Amino acid sequence: MSDCLFCKMVSGEIDVPKVYEDDDLIAINDINPQAPFHILIFPQKHISTLNNIGEADQQVVGRVFLTAKQIAVEKEFDQSGYRVVANCLEAAGQTVFHIHFHLLGGRQMSWPPG
Ligand code: AMP
Ligand code: ZN
């Protein structure tokens, strides 16, 4: 997708430091962090919303959670606790239309989210 922010990060058109990268996924620091650790994990494949994930995406979506755990271990907030959240469409607050999972850690969180 030529006008997608996260696709431009995948292709390298926008150069951004990667927290993690493999053939399927990228993780970056959120530009507007809402916690001491706020990392975005997203597939390299363009999928605009959670409504658009399909059977073929099962493995990559599952690997998002393994990657989140791995990053939490590396950054040593796995034992204090963390949250993984994805917003779908406007009512949930989605602003970038390439699916991504927020990994938040390093502070006490409340529930329910706003
Ligand atoms: P959402 O609102 O769930 O779609 O999340 C989009 C996230 O992308 C927000 O937390 C933004 O702060 C973050 N974001 C937007 N632009 C950038 C950027 N250039 N680099 C890193 N994070 C970004
Ligand atoms: Zn995209």
Side-chain angles (χ1 to χ4, degrees):
M1 287 282 288
S2 56
D3 62 347
C4 170
L5 176 67
F6 289 173
C7 282
K8 287 178 180 170
M9 294 178 182
V10 168
S11 70
E13 186 179 340
I14 295 176
D15 190 23
V16 63
K18 312 286 192 318
V19 175
Y20 174 83
E21 182 171 19
D22 64 24
D23 289 345
D24 302 312
L25 293 177
I26 284 182
I28 63 168
N29 286 309
D30 197 291
I31 203 169
N32 183 23
Q34 301 300 311
F37 298 96
H38 186 172
I39 292 150
L40 302 174
I41 305 170
F42 51 90
Q44 296 209 14
K45 174 185 173 185
H46 181 86
I47 304 169
S48 56
T49 82
L50 290 180
N51 285 334
N52 302 101
I53 59 175
E55 295 286 326
D57 304 314
Q58 276 189 75
Q59 193 168 354
V60 73
V61 172
R63 289 206 43 251
V64 165
F65 289 89
L66 288 170
T67 302
K69 179 201 74 171
Q70 181 180 319
I71 293 170
V73 168
E74 281 168 8
K75 298 197 176 290
E76 299 182 338
F77 58 90
D78 57 311
Q79 295 304 310
S80 55
Y82 55 94
R83 183 172 291 173
V84 179
V85 63
N87 300 320
C88 182
L89 293 176
E90 284 81 359
Q94 185 177 6
T95 59
V96 176
F97 288 82
H98 177 134
I99 62 165
H100 50 280
F101 296 77
H102 299 255
L103 169 60
L104 299 139
R107 68 166 168 82
Q108 185 63 45
M109 291 176 209
S110 58
W111 192 264

